[in-house]
Amino acid sequence: MARMPLISGNWKMHHNHFDAIALVQKLGYVLGKDDLEAVEVSVHPPFTDLRSVQTVLESDKIGIALGAQNCHWEEKGAFTGEVAPPMLAKLNVRYVIVGHSERRELFGETDDDVNRKVKAVLKAGMTTILCCGETLEEREAGGTDAKVTGQVLAGLDGLKADVVGGLVIAYEPIWAIGTGRTASAEDAQAVCGLLRRTVAGKWGAAAAESVRIQYGGSVKGDNAPALMACPDIDGALVGGAALEAESFAAIVQFRLAAPQG
Ligand code: PGA
C-alpha cells in the first residue's frame, strides 16, 4: 500500500512549553532516521507551546511535523481567545486536528463549525485531521455507521476530490478515548473500511485510495501492531501514550514489535 502511515500525538491540555521542549528533544533522540522515514510523525502541543516546539524541531532538524489541536475558521477578527489558521501556518504547522470529540462534546462544535474549520485550514495551506466517532450508546444501538459517515460527509462537504485525497480522517470511538478500552482491530478496520468506501462513493476511487485514515482511542505500543496491520488503517491519533517519549516511540516503532499471536 502506497499510503505513508501518519502517527500523531495529541497532547491535549498537557505540558507547558518547558515540558514540551524536553519531550520533543527526547523524541528526536529516541526516534531514529529510519523510524521517521518509514512513518510520518506529528506532534500536536497546546498553542502556548507551538513556537518553542517549532524552534526545537527546526534547529535540531528533527523530522517530526508540527500540528495543532484546533483553530477558528476566520482569518482574523474580534474572536477573543481564538487562534486563526494563518497564525498556525506561520509557525510551520502542517496538520490541524479538527472536530475532535472533546471539542464537539465539551465545547459544542457542530458539523457546520467543523466544515468551516476544515475549509479555513486548507485555505491557509495546512492539512486537516478530521475526527469522527460514536458514543457507546450509539454503538450499542447500531448507530456507528450512520454517525461516522454523517460526520465525515458533513465535515468535508464542498471539497473537491483531489483535496479530499490529500487529507487525513481519524476514526476515534468515543468510548475508547482515554479509557484503556481500545476497539478490536476487526472493529476498527470495519469502520475505517466503511469510511474509505464513503469517500469513494462521494469523491471517487482515487481520493479514497490516497486519503489517510487513522484510528484513535487508547492506542499503545502493544496494540499498535495489530491496528496498523489493518488494510484501511493508515496511522494512529494518540492521546495518553503520546505524553512520554518512550510510550510514543513504541507506537511509532510498531514494526519492531514481536508479531502478535
Ligand atoms: P487516547 O486519546 O489515546 O488517550 O485514548 C486519543 C485521542 O483523543 O485522540
Side-chain angles (χ1 to χ4, degrees), residues 24-47:
V24 286
Q25 282 175 332
K26 204 159 176 193
L27 282 174
Y29 180 73
V30 293
L31 293 175
K33 196 163 160 285
D34 292 355
D35 296 324
L36 296 173
E37 274 170 7
V39 177
E40 191 180 0
V41 176
S42 65
V43 291
H44 300 250
F47 289 132

Side-chain angles (χ1 to χ4, degrees), residues 115-157:
N115 181 242
R116 276 189 260 185
K117 291 183 180 199
V118 166
K119 288 175 175 160
V121 166
L122 293 168
K123 190 170 174 216
M126 301 174 292
T127 300
T128 50
I129 298 178
L130 170 67
C131 299
C132 64
E134 81 287 4
T135 63
L136 190 55
E137 297 73 56
E138 288 163 341
R139 170 160 282 262
E140 285 170 348
T144 300
D145 294 4
K147 173 83 179 286
V148 298
T149 55
Q151 286 180 322
V152 168
L153 290 170
L156 302 182
D157 187 48

